[in-house]
Amino acid sequence: MNIYCIFLILILEIQFIYGQITAANGECNPVNKLIGKPQTNNCCQEGSIECENGHVTKIYLLFNTRSGSIPPELGNLPKLVSLTICYSSLSGSIPPELGNLSNLEELNLFCNNLSGSIPPELGNLSNLVSLQLDGNNLSGSIPPELGNL
């Protein structure tokens, strides 16, 4: 093998590894907002965030002491399959933008301080397998759109 081939293989391996641990296209911005980190933070290096091929795929926050609301921009994460934020101090409403997460399989937001109604847009989550919203201060009825799941 000549030096050119070795160099090319090294570049490809670096690109593969870098793609596994770095989110592209600003996907870390809403995640960093959620976890209270600076926008320059590589969220894929956080233990509670998983990334694959340059995309945020899982957010798993338990007993997060940071208060605040769920950033609506999380609805722009195209490869997110799991969003779990439990036993935390989240307040405010559930953003309807979460209904844009077409690959989402798990939406677990139990035991927070969320209020308001359940957005009917969550009925768009056709791949959803788990939905847990208990232990919050939600009001109103369950939207009929959730019957489409």
Side-chain angles (χ1 to χ4, degrees):
M1 210 178 339
N2 65 31
I3 191 75
Y4 175 76
C5 290
I6 293 173
F7 184 68
L8 182 60
I9 291 170
L10 181 62
I11 289 174
L12 291 174
E13 286 181 10
I14 290 171
Q15 287 176 338
F16 176 77
I17 292 169
Y18 186 74
Q20 297 296 317
I21 61 171
T22 303
N25 304 321
E27 288 190 19
C28 277
N29 292 343
V31 177
N32 286 331
K33 186 175 181 181
L34 175 67
I35 62 176
K37 298 280 183 162
Q39 293 302 306
T40 56
N41 180 56
N42 179 1
C43 67
C44 298
Q45 293 180 343
E46 299 291 328
S48 57
I49 312 298
E50 289 186 29
C51 298
E52 187 175 310
N53 297 324
H55 294 282
V56 176
T57 56
K58 294 182 181 180
I59 300 172
Y60 189 76
L61 301 172
L62 290 179
F63 302 102
N64 187 15
T65 58
R66 186 181 184 289
S67 61
S69 59
I70 300 171
E73 299 88 359
L74 288 179
N76 298 329
L77 301 176
K79 301 294 183 180
L80 192 67
V81 295
S82 179
L83 176 58
T84 298
I85 309 169
C86 306
Y87 301 104
S88 297
S89 301
L90 287 179
S91 58
S93 60
I94 299 170
E97 291 84 353
L98 296 184
N100 298 333
L101 298 170
S102 60
N103 291 307
L104 199 67
E105 297 173 3
E106 298 176 344
L107 178 58
N108 302 312
L109 302 173
F110 59 90
C111 295
N112 285 289
N113 293 313
L114 297 171
S115 58
S117 59
I118 299 171
E121 290 83 356
L122 297 185
N124 297 333
L125 302 174
S126 59
N127 290 314
L128 202 64
V129 176
S130 174
L131 175 63
Q132 294 184 320
L133 303 174
D134 55 293
N136 286 292
N137 298 311
L138 298 173
S139 58
S141 59
I142 297 173
E145 291 83 355
L146 293 184
N148 299 333
L149 300 176

